[in-house]
Amino acid sequence: MDTAVVGQQCWQEDVFRVLKQHGVKHVVYVPDIPHSTTIREAEADKEISAVVLTTEEEGIGYLAGAWLGGDRGVLLMQSSGVGNCINALALQCCTRFPLLMVVAMRGDWAELNPWQTPMGRATEKALTLMNVMTWRADDPKDVEPLLHGAATMAFNGGHACALLLGQRLIGEKQ
């Protein structure tokens, strides 16, 4: 096993560990390979409801409902899904429920698919325009502290927060 694979598994396990530390009870997602470890661990955890979505914007409504019921959750998606969420993010802007998102970037460093590039370049700007605070992790050692900070600000401050997982972290598509 090479070091890149070992490092990748470590940061993916960090994501689930931080979510558990912050009392996340709902993991909603559109399946994507960089989130596969978190999804598998959420599905295996009896304290967590893992819900696959048809589209990413469904996750925002789902997490608003979970919060009204007293639970915390996270939305896992690819950067192309951020484009689907723009209108739904108005729900968080108007109600100020805590919203935590983990976004796997495409259209980023070493992207092979040119169709991914426009939304990849617009992801962080689009989130910022919708009042979502963002942090970007390109190094495995940054994932845990950045996600901890985002979760703290979301769940303790009622903010919308997103951790962007850069393609240099995720790895080059072959």
Side-chain angles (χ1 to χ4, degrees):
M1 186 176 279
D2 67 33
T3 56
V5 172
V6 170
Q8 184 178 30
Q9 292 211 331
C10 182
W11 71 259
Q12 289 179 326
E13 292 166 1
D14 289 345
V15 170
F16 187 74
R17 185 174 42 260
V18 171
L19 296 176
K20 286 288 287 185
Q21 288 169 349
H22 282 272
V24 166
K25 300 292 183 200
H26 301 268
V27 174
V28 299
Y29 62 93
V30 173
D32 192 29
I33 290 172
H35 295 302
S36 61
T37 299
T38 305
I39 292 168
R40 275 195 306 275
E41 291 186 24
E43 288 174 340
D45 192 313
K46 294 183 185 336
E47 296 178 353
I48 292 180
S49 179
V51 178
V52 65
L53 305 168
T54 305
T55 65
E56 293 81 358
E57 66 266 33
E58 293 173 350
I60 294 172
Y62 182 100
L63 294 178
W67 181 253
L68 288 172
D71 285 343
R72 296 175 173 186
V74 64
L75 171 58
L76 308 177
M77 65 179 149
Q78 188 182 84
S79 56
S80 59
V82 169
N84 297 335
C85 292
I86 297 303
N87 195 40
L89 285 168
L91 176 64
Q92 196 286 330
C93 290
C94 293
T95 62
R96 301 285 180 212
F97 75 92
L99 177 61
L100 180 62
M101 298 177 282
V102 180
V103 180
M105 293 301 296
R106 292 291 311 262
D108 200 12
W109 171 82
E111 177 63 57
L112 294 175
N113 181 349
W115 288 93
Q116 295 285 351
T117 304
M119 191 61 220
R121 295 187 63 180
T123 295
E124 188 167 4
K125 295 173 191 163
L127 289 169
T128 300
L129 285 171
M130 293 306 293
N131 207 29
V132 176
M133 291 185 282
T134 63
W135 295 268
R136 182 186 178 91
D138 286 311
D139 190 307
K141 72 177 179 2
D142 293 334
V143 172
E144 185 172 0
L146 291 176
L147 183 56
H148 167 73
T152 298
M153 293 189 75
F155 298 132
N156 295 339
H159 297 289
C161 299
L163 176 61
L164 309 179
L165 304 174
Q167 273 191 272
R168 287 184 4 192
L169 170 74
I170 295 166
E172 184 175 0
K173 304 274 187 261
Q174 299 297 320

